[in-house]
Amino acid sequence: MTELDSLERDLLDQVDAAADEASLDAVRVAALGKKGSVSELLKTLGAMSPEERKERGPLINGLRDRVQNAIGQRREAMAEAALEARLSTERVDVTLPVREAPEVRGRIHPISQVMDEVTAIFADMGFSVAEGPDIETDDYNFTALNFPPGHPAREMHDTFFLAPDRNGQRKVLRTHTSPVQIRTMRSQEPPIRVICPGRTYRHDSDQTHTPMFHQVEGLVIDKAANIANLKWVLEEFCRAFFEVDAVKMRFRPSFFPFTEPSAEVDIQCSRKGGEIRFGEGTDWLEILGCGMVHPNVLRNCGLDPDAVQGFAFGVGIDRIAMLKYGMPDLRPFFEADVRWLDHYGFRPLDIPSLVSGLTG
Ligand code: DAH
């Protein structure tokens, strides 16, 4: 075997053995680059006699062409293999079912849905939404609402207290949404017509109580707002919320420090066959507390009880959600179980409004 033959065999072996583009390129530079083994051979042609060149020229040029071809073919094979590998990893199975879009798959939590329903109903009656913080001072949660320090009514609330701050003040997780009444009356001039939906907290847990729950507060203050107005507003709300033509309500005298007189309200229902229905039957279900705003509360907000008056009410949102949508246990509301949410949740595009119907 000539020297040229063994060089060619050696180079073609190297081309075959190159595992990737980089090593193939290294083989190319070592053979055909400026100082490559084949290039050096080509340079020797210049110094040869014409006869010698005639004989060696085609041999060396042939060697160069074959090596160049081999490199080109190997490079193409590598590119093809790479493409093949990519295509096989990116393969799409067109027979798979299409994944549902978020607006189809997602669910609105019943609490959010009911808050939106309540807001839509009261907005229609001219109420706007007011908000306050979950962490309240003792003054807003109790004192300004006419719970004097040491008053036994404070004990009824199973309050979560925070550690005393630098000034020794112990804030609380608000036990009801009533403090937003105070915030509203201290920052807005009558006439006032607001609802205040939000989170509330009490140290309590069983089938119908969770340490965090939701209420919506209502407050109307003007020169003449009276109990008849209060009853109409509540009746109108219950009819719209429970989606019945008429609903009987029962106002039972009760006590709240911030209202005088105060009442608890039951609505008529039937419980035949273990199912609760509203607007019929002979049973009663308590759904809210209400009353005329106590003169002390007005005074605590800088208002003159001889010039303005009004009414307030507080509804348990979780409770009316359970009643309306037939959910027997409150605790799963806050367990973030998607199976529960799939079952009881609402479609995101079913936005409650009085025009389109509350539940879509
Ligand atoms: N804040 C009361 C509670 O959580 C509910 C309530 C009763 C609110 C009467 C009111 C009201 O505004 O007038 O038990």
Side-chain angles (χ1 to χ4, degrees):
M1 201 193 295
T2 67
E3 216 178 298
L4 283 185
D5 287 340
S6 70
L7 177 62
E8 181 170 342
R9 163 71 53 82
D10 185 35
L11 288 175
L12 294 181
D13 283 350
Q14 284 184 39
V15 169
D16 275 344
D20 51 31
E21 291 256 5
S23 36
L24 182 61
D25 207 51
V27 176
R28 183 189 60 80
V29 172
L32 306 170
K34 243 188 196 158
K35 296 225 159 83
S37 48
V38 179
S39 308
E40 292 296 343
L41 279 175
L42 284 166
K43 281 182 209 158
T44 59
L45 289 177
M48 286 179 193
S49 64
E51 291 76 36
E52 205 180 356
R53 192 177 309 133
K54 214 169 168 187
E55 187 211 337
R56 297 276 291 167
L59 293 179
I60 298 176
N61 278 321
L63 164 65
R64 183 202 52 205
D65 292 348
R66 285 188 296 280
V67 170
Q68 227 162 22
N69 271 343
I71 290 175
Q73 275 168 12
R74 181 96 183 97
R75 182 170 289 135
E76 241 170 66
M78 276 180 181
E80 240 168 68
L83 180 64
E84 203 51 48
R86 216 183 102 196
L87 287 179
S88 74
T89 62
E90 291 178 2
R91 179 171 299 151
V92 175
D93 182 352
V94 292
T95 65
L96 282 177
V98 177
R99 204 175 290 159
E100 285 174 308
E103 69 273 19
V104 177
R105 184 78 194 84
R107 288 290 178 274
I108 300 292
H109 196 284
I111 294 291
S112 308
Q113 177 78 13
V114 166
M115 282 208 187
D116 289 349
E117 291 179 14
V118 169
T119 307
I121 294 168
F122 281 105
D124 194 57
M125 291 193 264
F127 284 71
S128 49
V129 173
E131 286 182 316
D134 290 13
I135 297 175
E136 268 297 8
T137 62
D138 181 276
D139 181 52
Y140 279 111
N141 198 76
F142 292 121
T143 313
L145 284 162
N146 200 34
F147 290 78
H151 191 284
R154 289 183 176 228
E155 310 299 321
M156 287 158 44
H157 277 209
D158 298 314
T159 312
F160 286 114
F161 290 94
L162 275 71
D165 65 14
R166 245 182 272 121
N167 311 316
Q169 192 189 47
R170 288 186 85 183
K171 291 210 168 122
V172 301
L173 289 177
R174 66 177 177 191
T175 57
H176 48 178
T177 42
S178 303
V180 190
Q181 289 188 28
I182 305 297
R183 292 184 173 273
T184 308
M185 284 187 273
R186 286 184 180 171
S187 62
Q188 289 180 27
E189 293 290 321
I192 290 171
R193 219 188 291 176
V194 291
I195 56 161
C196 327
R199 276 188 281 268
T200 46
Y201 306 83
R202 290 187 201 180
H203 193 286
D204 209 351
S205 182
D206 60 32
Q207 192 176 340
T208 53
H209 296 87
T210 48
M212 191 275 294
F213 57 106
H214 300 81
Q215 289 189 338
V216 58
E217 193 79 11
L219 175 71
V220 172
I221 302 285
D222 62 24
K223 287 195 181 112
N226 57 38
I227 286 201
N229 304 146
L230 166 63
K231 290 181 79 171
W232 182 84
V233 165
L234 292 178
E235 246 175 67
E236 203 55 24
F237 166 70
C238 287
R239 273 195 323 111
F241 181 76
F242 292 109
E243 300 180 70
V244 288
D245 293 333
V247 57
K248 281 206 192 107
M249 302 177 82
R250 186 165 79 172
F251 285 69
R252 277 183 292 107
S254 185
F255 172 78
F256 301 104
F258 39 91
T259 42
E260 181 57 36
S262 305
E264 277 174 314
V265 175
D266 305 333
I267 59 168
Q268 171 204 29
C269 67
S270 92
R271 297 187 205 240
K272 263 188 228 131
E275 196 188 332
I276 297 182
R277 286 173 176 280
F278 297 96
E280 57 185 76
T282 52
D283 272 329
W284 296 95
L285 247 171
E286 181 194 324
I287 56 157
L288 60 91
C290 63
M292 297 301 295
V293 177
H294 197 292
N296 285 350
V297 174
L298 295 172
R299 277 188 212 103
N300 289 340
C301 299
L303 297 172
D304 176 2
D306 292 326
V308 291
Q309 61 182 38
F311 57 82
F313 50 88
V315 188
I317 290 183
D318 320 74
R319 188 170 169 75
I320 60 171
M322 290 169 76
L323 290 174
K324 180 169 178 178
Y325 295 112
M327 294 173 273
D329 194 332
L330 182 57
R331 289 164 296 194
F333 275 58
F334 309 114
E335 281 169 2
D337 183 337
V338 282
R339 291 164 304 178
W340 184 87
L341 200 56
D342 263 350
H343 184 73
Y344 286 112
F346 293 83
R347 296 183 178 276
L349 297 178
D350 291 347
I351 296 163
S353 84
L354 294 181
V355 181
S356 65
L358 288 180
T359 47

